[in-house]
Amino acid sequence: MLCSSEVKYVKGVGPKRAEILKKLDIYSVKDLLFYFPRTYQDRRINAEKKEPSFDYVSSFKGTVKDFFEIYTSTSLKIFKIIVASEGKEIESNLFKRAKRNFDVFASIKNKIKKGKEIFIVGRADGDFFNPKIGVEEFYFPEDENYKINADRIVPVYSLTSDMDNKTFRGIVYKALDCADYVNEIINPYYIAKRGLLPRVTAVKNIHFPKDLDSLAAARKRLIYEELFLMAMAWAVKKRQTREIKKNRSYEIKRTLLTPFKNNMGFEFTASQKKAINEIFSDMNSPYPMNRLLQGDVGSGKTVVAISACLLAVENGYQCCFMAPTEILAEQHFMTFSRFLSSLNVRFEILSSSTHKKKKEEIISKIANGELDILIGTHSLIEADIKFKNLALAVIDEQHRFGVRQRATLRKKGENVDMLIMTATPIPRTLFLSLYGDLELSILTDMPPGRKPIKTFKTAEKEAFEKTKDYLKKGGQAYIVFPIIDESSKTEIKSLIAEFERINKEFSDYKTAMIYGRMKPSEKQKIMRDFSEGKIDILCATQVIEVGIDVPNANVMIIQNAERFGLASLHQLRGRIGRGEKESVCFLISEAKNDEAKERIKAMCETTNGFELSEKDAYIRGVGEVMGVKQHGDMEFKIASIYRDREILNWVFEDRDEILKEDPYMYKKENQALKKELRDLYGEKWHIIDLN
């Protein structure tokens, strides 16, 4: 069996389980071997040292003293086993619901005997004098899978509901028979230089390590490999981009740029001017622009992007402006309307809610060159959207899009200039790692007149009373909830359930609510009314996290603040403090775990997005912070940019050394690496094109 074989050929899989594994993006044996454990359980009986970060379970080996079945008055059955272990008798209970369509007791009834040795895994209950355990797994020494699941460090995987860890472990264990076909991709010189395990050994040990040291060595090798492949791909992508020449140029005519600047009513900040100059320089270069515009919430990224659009339009080219949500696209359309309505610029908005007749009209106009700028959501990348001469694509909140969507948008024109924007502050190490093919512009200062937002953790009653004081002075408020509907978790407040109570509490004020499932037209009307001051309090979910710009809104209450990540809390808070009024954010939280408490504390201590982003990456991991987990794109399987900084520095050093000596990877020792890059970042992610 080869690693390129379909996973259904692994013993114990077959066509039915292969369909289940596809839900995990596991199609081949190699996919299976590189589907790494989420964590581990240390089931070793006499281990000298155990890893506290592992998923904790109780496990022990003993002799069966007695066993019997108990029928309760309900549908619940209990199979009770009394096990003698290390001088104690442990009551072990195996539970089964009668309605379940399989008899979990059958296998144990056929094998269990008094005096027989058994290995139990479960969750402890009772106390030292009367130990009890709820049995989750049990094994007898003669079982085929005893060596996989008992008295060892056991892998725990993130799986779907129709695949359990015990079954999956058995499948992986059998697949490791073909691990010798996992070819080495890294030059032996660098393996020796960095003290890395061979690839095949690392793959075996990452799933079934014999001890903590072998697991650490496997992790080191696979972390290096993951970061190395990513860094190589970005370097190749950047080189390939610079080898492409575009057949257009721009002239700064100022027929649109100067009137736009005059219409703004304020001066660009120093960092906005610097970013615009960098963007214009890229657009005027012979190579396609690939630039990331990074700016904290409220720093004025949109007017910088509009400047780039106007340069293209002045020269007779088209632009598109893609946002992740309809609310954000609508907000951008309103901004364009405010600044460009008096200028000779033709722009429209397109989204999934655009009326069919209107959509057909827009499609016709953009294809015929009768529109200069098209603003929209994912609708812009639909196959029937064809531009006459697209020159510039702007993507806002880009981490909410997948790399495939970014590539699809770029293909709408010829060697399109790409400007990507994000309000998630990205420390430089993270930028180099996740966006190594891009140039970077940073907006470091805020527009004049902005006051710092004060943030407090407080009780709900106090937050409500202080909010009323701000409303009396003419302010407006957001009240944010983590969920729309009621949850089984009674401590979580939901928008719909709480809205009536909010209405009563603030009966002297006009309230409204907004959430993702509402019709786009309803959402647009509510946002317009709130923006015009017709609504005093807007109750919302996280749907307002990006793109909402209401300068008069100066109060925010975030319910169950512990349910949000730091990046989301910071983005939400950025919806206020956009005018000249004093602004305040109240965090209502009954956080009990240390991680949540740390997030709340960080929010109260700083409004600096970079500091918060760095803390968030440490707490939750880069995949969560950047949103890539939601899209399945570019998510690290095992590496962490922050935890593994030393290895990341090795990677950059080794990558630069290799590409300096062999930029096109023609040498024999780099052929396997080249193939791996082509398979992963070419065929799978469509980032690079390697022959």
Side-chain angles (χ1 to χ4, degrees), residues 195-352:
L196 304 175
L197 289 178
R199 196 184 198 199
V200 64
T201 306
V203 169
K204 288 178 177 177
N205 287 350
I206 200 68
H207 292 288
F208 294 100
K210 63 179 180 180
D211 52 36
L212 295 175
D213 289 340
S214 64
L215 175 58
R219 285 182 55 81
K220 177 183 172 184
R221 157 64 204 233
L222 294 169
I223 287 167
Y224 176 93
E225 178 178 310
E226 187 168 44
L227 294 174
F228 180 71
L229 286 168
M230 175 267 308
M232 287 290 294
W234 287 133
V236 170
K237 173 65 175 176
K238 180 174 276 192
R239 186 199 73 215
Q240 290 180 341
T241 302
R242 287 175 175 172
E243 289 174 347
I244 297 170
K245 287 197 174 184
K246 57 191 182 187
N247 57 353
R248 64 177 175 274
S249 60
Y250 301 91
E251 180 187 344
I252 301 176
K253 301 177 180 179
R254 304 191 183 281
T255 54
L256 296 174
L257 286 165
T258 299
F260 162 62
K261 186 179 177 183
N262 295 336
N263 284 353
M264 286 199 311
F266 54 84
E267 271 292 318
F268 287 119
T269 64
S271 62
Q272 282 177 322
K273 290 176 182 176
K274 183 174 183 291
I276 289 170
N277 286 333
E278 290 169 341
I279 291 166
F280 282 11
S281 176
D282 281 359
M283 291 175 71
N284 275 312
S285 81
Y287 312 106
M289 174 171 68
N290 259 340
R291 185 166 288 273
L292 176 69
L293 177 62
Q294 175 184 311
D296 215 337
V297 286
S299 60
K301 295 182 297 299
T302 305
V303 292
V304 172
I306 290 175
S307 300
C309 291
L310 292 180
L311 177 60
V313 174
E314 277 188 342
N315 286 271
Y317 298 112
Q318 293 176 310
C319 311
C320 64
F321 199 116
M322 188 163 76
T325 66
E326 290 196 25
I327 284 184
L328 183 50
E330 174 76 13
Q331 186 74 43
H332 283 312
F333 183 72
M334 290 168 65
T335 303
F336 273 72
S337 300
R338 186 171 71 200
F339 291 133
L340 305 184
S341 57
S342 62
L343 304 182
N344 185 26
V345 180
R346 302 163 297 179
F347 57 93
E348 282 283 5
I349 183 170
L350 180 68
S351 67
S352 58

Side-chain angles (χ1 to χ4, degrees), residues 665-677:
M665 289 177 281
Y666 290 146
K667 291 185 178 180
K668 184 179 179 181
E669 60 266 31
N670 291 326
Q671 286 299 299
L673 170 62
K674 187 175 183 178
K675 182 180 184 305
E676 189 77 14
L677 285 168

Side-chain angles (χ1 to χ4, degrees), residues 516-530:
R517 294 203 305 250
M518 294 172 71
K519 292 180 180 178
S521 57
E522 292 177 350
K523 287 187 283 190
Q524 289 165 13
K525 184 181 186 307
I526 289 169
M527 282 312 309
R528 198 172 284 113
D529 287 349
F530 187 61

Side-chain angles (χ1 to χ4, degrees), residues 241 564 566:
T241 302
F564 299 89
L566 262 178

Side-chain angles (χ1 to χ4, degrees), residues 123 170 172 219 229 294 331 339 434 439 459 480 496 608 618:
R123 306 287 169 175
V172 173
R219 285 182 55 81
L229 286 168
Q294 175 184 311
Q331 186 74 43
F339 291 133
L434 292 179
E439 303 300 332
V480 183
I496 292 175
N608 185 298
Y618 273 119

Side-chain angles (χ1 to χ4, degrees), residues 356-368:
K356 184 180 178 182
K357 188 175 180 180
K358 180 67 174 176
K359 183 177 179 180
E360 289 172 354
E361 179 188 326
I362 290 172
I363 290 173
S364 174
K365 283 185 174 181
I366 203 71
N368 294 329

